Amino acid sequence: MTEQDVNALLAKLPVLKAEIGKVIVGQSAVLDEVLVALLAGGHALLEGVPGLAKTLLVRTLASATDLPFRRIQFTPDLMPTDILGTEVLEEDHGTGHRSFKFNPGPIFASLVLADEINRTPPKTQAALLEAMQEGHVTYAGQEHALPKPFFLLATQNPIEQSGTYPLPEAQLDRFLLYVRIGYPTEQEEMAVLSGTTGTAGALVRPVLGGDDVRQLQQLVRQVGLSPELLSFVNRLVRATRPATSEVKFIQDYGRWGAGPRAGQALILCAKARALLQGRFAATLDDIRALAPPVLRHRILLNFNAEAENLTPDDAVAALLQAVQV
C-alpha cells in the first residue's frame, strides 16, 4: 500500500464512527473498544443491563461496515449444529446418486452477534471455541474455513443470572476484550428519548468493506511499539500471577492470573487504538486505557476479595499503579 492508500483508509475511520453515532448516542469509549477489537482481529464480549443498546450497537456496526451479518439468539435448547451447520443428504436426480453436503450455519458470516451467550449450556458455548481461535469449523472430519474478516461480538446480562451458564475461563480467554457498558449521562439519555420516540429514523450508510477491514488489520500489526513498552506489558501481565507477583493486591486477593495471550491482546489492542486515532506508534496511554477490558476477564480473585467487594477492575488499577514503566 502507498502512503496515499493508507491515508485514504485511515480517513474512513472517523466517518465510520460518525455513521454509527447517528444511531448510538454517547458510549464513545464502548464504541472505541469495539472498533479496537475489530481492527486488532479479535472478538469482544459486551456486558450491560437490558436496554443499553448492545444489540443495536452491533447491528449498526454491521450496517456501517457492509459486512455479511448474522445474529444468533442463544437459548437453553440451542444445539451446536444450530450454530455451525449440519450435513444434508442430497440426491442427483439424473444419476440417482446420493451424497452428504455440508449446509453452513449462521457462524459463517464476517460479523456474528452471539446474543445472550450465557443463556445456552456449555456444550453449545464450546462450539464457538474452534471458530473463534482458529477461524474454521470442523464437521464430520472436514475443515470448513470461515470468511475473513471474522468478528464475533457476544452480549450478556450481568444481573439476571437465574438459569444462565457463566462462560468458563477458557472461553472468556478467547475474547480479546471484555467491554462493560454503563448507563448514559443525563444529556445522552435526553438525546436518546427525543431521537427515538418520533417518526424520523437515522439512515446508516456503509463506510468500510471487507477488504478495508482486512487491510486495516494488517496495518495494525505494523504500528510501532517501543521495547520499553513491550517490557512494561510483559511485566504487567506477569504481575497478575499470584505465585510470582510482587504486587501486594495480587498476593492478598489473587487466585489466578493472565496467560501470555493477555500480553498479545494488550499489545495488539494498543496498536489498534493508536491507528484509530491516526498514530503509527502506540503509547503508554494506549496500554493504560485498554488494560481493564483486556485483563478484567483474565484475572480471578479469591474469596477474600469477594468478601470485601473487590473486583478485577480494582486489581487492574492496583497493577497499573504498582508496575513501573
Side-chain angles (χ1 to χ4, degrees), residues 61-320:
L61 176 63
S63 300
T65 52
D66 196 24
L67 296 174
F69 171 69
R70 296 296 295 272
R71 178 181 183 272
I72 308 172
Q73 181 63 53
F74 281 70
T75 57
D77 60 347
L78 192 73
M79 298 297 291
T81 53
D82 296 328
I83 300 173
L84 306 180
T86 186
E87 285 187 337
V88 293
L89 185 62
E90 288 192 343
E91 181 178 353
D92 188 332
H93 296 289
T95 62
H97 178 70
R98 295 181 177 181
S99 61
F100 283 100
K101 180 184 178 182
F102 180 69
N103 187 24
I107 194 71
F108 286 85
S110 289
L111 182 57
V112 178
L113 169 60
D115 215 357
E116 295 188 285
I117 191 173
N118 58 338
R119 291 282 173 196
T120 198
K123 176 181 179 180
T124 306
Q125 291 176 359
L128 296 173
L129 288 173
E130 182 184 16
M132 293 172 65
Q133 184 63 29
E134 300 174 33
H136 61 72
V137 167
T138 302
Y139 192 94
Q142 297 292 322
E143 290 185 0
H144 303 274
L146 293 170
K148 293 182 180 180
F150 172 67
F151 184 39
L152 185 133
L153 278 159
T155 68
Q156 67 177 13
N157 176 3
I159 298 177
E160 195 177 347
Q161 295 299 325
S162 177
T164 63
Y165 306 86
L167 292 173
E169 283 70 25
Q171 183 138 9
L172 282 173
D173 197 37
R174 297 302 200 282
F175 287 100
L176 196 72
L177 295 181
Y178 189 161
V179 182
R180 287 205 170 124
I181 303 178
Y183 290 109
T185 65
E186 182 177 357
Q187 292 78 12
E188 291 169 352
E189 196 159 358
M190 280 291 293
V192 170
L193 295 177
S194 62
T196 58
T197 55
T199 57
L203 178 63
V204 178
R205 61 185 179 87
V207 177
L208 290 181
D211 291 337
D212 295 329
V213 174
R214 284 191 293 270
Q215 290 175 344
L216 284 167
Q217 290 175 348
Q218 293 173 0
L219 279 176
V220 163
R221 293 181 173 269
Q222 299 176 34
V223 172
L225 185 78
S226 70
E228 291 81 7
L229 290 180
L230 189 68
S231 173
F232 173 69
V233 170
N234 186 37
R235 288 183 287 110
L236 184 68
V237 171
R238 292 181 63 82
T240 65
R241 303 164 191 167
T244 57
S245 179
E246 297 180 358
V247 179
K248 190 175 187 306
F249 187 102
I250 300 298
Q251 292 174 348
D252 293 342
Y253 302 112
R255 181 183 170 196
W256 202 258
R261 189 182 283 138
Q264 295 171 331
L266 188 51
I267 290 171
L268 282 174
C269 288
K271 290 183 174 185
R273 185 176 186 266
L275 196 68
L276 193 62
Q277 296 183 359
R279 292 181 280 109
F280 291 95
T283 66
L284 180 61
D285 288 341
D286 295 323
I287 294 171
R288 289 186 179 276
L290 290 164
V294 168
L295 295 175
R296 64 167 54 112
H297 57 300
R298 294 180 166 102
I299 297 176
L300 293 182
L301 302 181
N302 57 27
F303 294 111
N304 294 331
E306 293 182 16
E308 298 185 27
N309 291 323
L310 296 174
T311 66
D313 282 359
D314 296 322
V316 176
L319 285 164
L320 289 174

